[in-house]
Amino acid sequence: QLELVESGGGAVRPGESLTLSCIVSGFSLDLYSIGWFRQAPGKEREGVSAISSGIDKTDYADAVKGRFTISRDKAKNTVYLQMNNLKPEDTAVYSCAAAQVSHITVESMVFYGMDLWGKGTLVTVSS
């Protein structure tokens, strides 16, 4: 069974940090690129960050560049999203998704779509 499960969401104050985890099962991170998306209340889903399976390449949306870092541990079948200096506008449900492609960008994952999705984890940033 192909599955992605997110964890690590929570409520934090502006300026604080959180690390989200996306544990995958049933498929290999050597073959699937992973993207993080978020959807804020009343807004459309947007791409946040991406990590390619075939090459050691990452990509970020402008809104999170310099604050968020995507990484993966293939031995643990896990992709992480380290989020620093969180802002109220980062409040959203964050989901990870997988696509069976070797190279992915934030733009391409939004345009072409993804093959598999997790259910998401809520991040709330509020003072």
Side-chain angles (χ1 to χ4, degrees):
Q1 184 178 355
L2 310 181
E3 193 175 27
L4 300 91
V5 179
E6 304 93 338
S7 63
V12 297
R13 297 185 186 280
E16 294 185 343
S17 299
L18 275 177
T19 299
L20 305 183
S21 298
C22 172
I23 300 176
V24 310
S25 57
F27 62 94
S28 172
L29 291 177
D30 287 322
L31 298 177
Y32 281 77
S33 295
I34 302 295
W36 282 98
F37 294 77
R38 68 185 182 186
Q39 187 165 19
K43 294 189 176 181
E44 289 189 1
R45 185 170 58 200
E46 62 176 348
V48 175
S49 184
I51 186 164
S52 297
S53 65
I55 54 177
D56 191 15
K57 197 169 177 82
T58 60
D59 193 33
Y60 299 91
D62 288 342
V64 306
K65 212 168 278 186
R67 299 188 297 123
F68 290 13
T69 302
I70 190 171
S71 63
R72 68 180 164 220
D73 185 334
K74 292 184 178 181
K76 295 183 178 180
N77 293 324
T78 303
V79 175
Y80 303 97
L81 186 67
Q82 171 71 40
M83 306 186 295
N84 296 329
N85 189 23
L86 282 161
K87 304 176 180 181
E89 52 263 43
D90 294 319
T91 294
V93 174
Y94 285 72
S95 301
C96 60
Q100 196 172 2
V101 295
S102 60
H103 181 221
I104 195 172
T105 64
V106 170
E107 183 178 6
S108 71
M109 70 185 193
V110 172
F111 185 79
Y112 292 109
M114 306 294 278
D115 300 320
L116 305 165
W117 288 87
K119 294 182 179 179
T121 185
L122 177 62
V123 172
T124 303
V125 185
S126 173
S127 56

